Amino acid sequence: MSPQYRVQNPVDNQVIETFPSASDASIEQTLADSATAYREWSALPLATRAAAVTRVGELFEDRKEELAEIAATEMGKPLHEGIEEAEFASAIMHYFADNGAAFSAEQEIPTGGDARAFIRRLPIGPLLGVMPWNFPYYQIARFAAPNLVLGNTIVLKDAEICPRSAVAVQQIMDDAGIPHGVYSNVFATHEQIGTIIADPRVQGVSLTGSERAGSIIGAQAGKNLKKAVLELGGSDPFVLLDAADVKAAARLAWNTRMYNTGQACNSNKRMIVMDDIYDEFLTELVDLANKARPVDPHSPESAADDTYCPLSSRDAAENLDAQLRRAVAAGATVHAGGELAAEGAYFSPAVLSDVPVGSDVYYEELFGPVATVYRVASDAEALELANNTQFGLGGTVYSQDPERAAALSRRLEVGMACVNTPSAESSELPFGGVKRSGFGRELGPLGMDEFVNKQLYYVEK
């Protein structure tokens, strides 16, 4: 039985509103509308589509406070982070509207003769997007923006716990003048997702979510010979080789880890610290964790560095608590935090060390406010530990010697390697991973090169 679409406030776990799941008949109508709209939408000049997407970006900016309020209620995102997310969604829409013509331009191939050959980048048809709750606007924007500009149409299935944000995005699309059927939000059940993927009118599926969801969606896409993009979990290493100010480095690592209450796939989930600065680094983390206090995500106080908000749901908090207890049972040490509140989804930010490498919990993603720290004695040991994961989303290396950091970062088995910055996130920078973090890329020029017919166009004189 698929979960019910609902607004369940993580502050107190109370269900505020429920939404009915789509009927099979409405799913069929949505697919029919999407296929019909594709023929008309894809035939429009790209400039016309780009203008509509530009308007979508403007409305994300205009409504950012309203969108932030929705996210705070649905999944506990601090208000200021919700506003930042809506602004990022706006920037992504503008980026692809502004650059879509260049990204999809014909590419001529030298033939060595009188004939002329080109690669055309053409849309392929209706697409299914299965999006998560942790970034309810940004995740949709990075999938929808390039594909709408290119000429594909979209059926969007959002997470069950964020229906209001899904409705708000649909309203933005409608108010921006996106034609009926070009973007369609559906409250589909898990069973109906399989039906949509199998439908011959649908040409691809993009999922951002867990490993488990990715394996299911990937199998369904493969069975039906559909293109898939999967952005899954991560256990990103944050490697600190040296630091002029160890406490400042610890504060940066902590604030990065606690963003969105630790619920980001590319968060710095494993802090790998050189032996000579490890103790000072750990002490600062513990001090920061002990100072953290719970607040309501709607409160202006949620912007303060010494506060934390609830996780997305009580289930998420309980699952994280169970993982932490299993880590302790395996031999790990909790230095601070790690307490599950009696009600709601509050989980006090924790500092964890000595998770045994090779244990089951070591290879799991801890999706919440837990800073896991490891001590190493050499660059080689740091690299070995950083790559000892089933995931491969991102990773960063810090050092006062940029060449030392770069040398190690080049050997990280990740889709996004950074030096002396927590992460590289911007509209123009491709996002995606390797190994069990999935495949495909979003954002940047590569983000418009996934659901594309790279058609050969050959003209003989």
Side-chain angles (χ1 to χ4, degrees):
M1 185 72 177
S2 293
Q4 181 186 45
Y5 286 84
R6 67 206 178 277
V7 179
Q8 189 166 5
N9 191 342
V11 171
D12 56 15
N13 209 37
Q14 296 302 305
V15 176
I16 299 171
E17 186 178 9
T18 60
F19 294 73
S21 296
S23 66
D24 291 344
S26 68
I27 292 292
E28 167 56 34
Q29 187 61 57
T30 296
L31 293 175
D33 291 346
S34 188
T36 298
Y38 169 70
R39 291 191 290 272
E40 299 171 1
W41 182 248
S42 61
L44 293 173
L46 185 143
T48 302
R49 297 193 297 266
V53 173
T54 295
R55 183 58 183 151
V56 171
E58 292 170 349
L59 291 179
F60 266 108
E61 173 67 28
D62 292 346
R63 300 177 186 179
K64 59 186 179 183
E65 287 87 3
E66 171 193 340
L67 297 173
E69 286 280 352
I70 293 171
T73 299
E74 286 186 323
M75 50 74 61
K77 187 184 294 288
L79 276 182
H80 73 287
E81 292 185 12
I83 290 173
E84 290 172 357
E85 183 185 346
E87 290 172 341
F88 197 3
S90 174
I92 291 167
M93 292 292 173
H94 285 290
Y95 174 78
F96 284 105
D98 293 344
N99 294 283
F103 293 160
S104 60
E106 291 185 354
Q107 175 186 346
E108 187 163 8
I109 305 171
T111 63
D114 292 334
R116 300 188 70 189
F118 302 85
I119 295 174
R120 288 173 162 174
R121 284 174 167 80
L122 306 174
I124 60 174
L127 306 173
L128 171 65
V130 182
M131 296 293 112
W133 47 260
N134 58 332
F135 292 95
Y137 309 120
Y138 156 69
Q139 299 281 6
I140 291 176
R142 71 186 197 181
F143 166 60
N147 287 299
L148 291 177
V149 173
L150 184 66
N152 294 318
T153 56
I154 289 171
V155 176
L156 200 290
K157 187 272 177 201
D158 219 334
E160 288 86 359
I161 68 169
C162 54
R164 283 184 181 172
S165 54
V167 170
V169 173
Q170 180 71 70
Q171 192 64 55
I172 285 175
M173 296 290 178
D174 295 344
D175 293 347
I178 301 296
H180 176 74
V182 172
Y183 180 95
S184 304
N185 176 72
V186 292
F187 291 144
T189 66
H190 294 170
E191 294 76 15
Q192 287 168 337
I193 293 173
T195 299
I196 295 170
I197 294 173
D199 193 286
R201 291 167 290 193
V202 174
Q203 299 302 308
V205 56
S206 178
L207 168 114
T208 297
S210 66
E211 278 184 276
R212 179 177 177 275
S215 64
I216 293 171
I217 295 297
Q220 292 174 336
K223 178 182 178 181
N224 291 284
L225 301 178
K226 303 292 176 69
K227 173 66 184 287
V229 169
L230 302 178
E231 197 274 278
L232 309 178
S235 187
D236 291 13
F238 178 103
V239 181
L240 185 63
L241 300 178
D242 56 65
D245 187 336
V246 177
K247 290 184 177 180
R251 288 193 295 272
L252 174 64
W254 177 261
N255 291 335
T256 302
R257 182 68 185 101
M258 296 303 132
Y259 191 82
N260 203 33
T261 320
Q263 300 166 119
C265 52
N266 63 330
S267 182
N268 52 336
K269 299 191 177 76
R270 292 177 300 138
M271 301 177 190
I272 300 170
V273 183
M274 204 59 67
D275 181 75
D276 60 335
I277 57 175
Y278 175 90
D279 290 335
E280 186 178 359
F281 183 92
L282 179 64
T283 298
E284 182 66 14
L285 289 186
V286 171
D287 184 54
L288 292 167
N290 286 330
K291 290 177 180 176
R293 53 194 174 87
V295 296
D296 189 297
H298 292 91
S299 168
E301 286 189 282
S302 65
D305 288 342
D306 64 345
T307 64
Y308 65 95
C309 291
L311 274 72
S312 63
S313 67
R314 179 70 185 184
D315 284 347
E318 290 178 350
N319 288 338
L320 184 63
D321 181 65
Q323 284 181 295
L324 199 68
R325 302 311 143 199
R326 287 196 293 107
V328 171
T333 300
V334 178
H335 298 267
E339 296 297 327
L340 177 65
E343 64 176 21
Y346 287 94
F347 186 88
S348 60
V351 177
L352 186 66
S353 72
D354 305 316
V355 178
V357 176
S359 63
D360 289 344
V361 71
Y362 168 82
Y363 292 104
E364 296 176 6
E365 179 181 27
L366 298 179
F367 209 63
V370 178
T372 308
V373 193
Y374 300 85
R375 184 197 299 264
V376 292
S378 67
D379 291 20
E381 185 182 357
L383 178 65
E384 181 180 5
L385 184 61
N387 286 336
N388 187 1
T389 173
Q390 300 175 43
F391 296 103
L393 191 54
T396 188
V397 184
Y398 276 83
S399 174
Q400 297 174 83
D401 179 351
E403 283 305 311
R404 180 187 179 192
L408 197 153
S409 72
R410 281 191 287 267
R411 299 179 65 189
L412 292 178
E413 297 168 355
V414 298
M416 301 174 288
C418 299
V419 172
N420 290 341
T421 183
S423 63
E425 289 189 81
S426 181
S427 302
E428 68 271 16
L429 301 177
F431 189 104
V434 295
K435 303 196 305 194
R436 294 188 69 84
S437 289
F439 44 79
R441 294 294 182 269
E442 295 180 300
L443 299 179
L446 301 185
M448 202 169 177
D449 215 32
E450 291 289 351
F451 296 103
V452 178
N453 173 11
K454 300 181 181 77
Q455 183 190 71
L456 170 65
Y457 178 60
Y458 186 83
V459 179
E460 188 75 55
K461 290 186 178 179

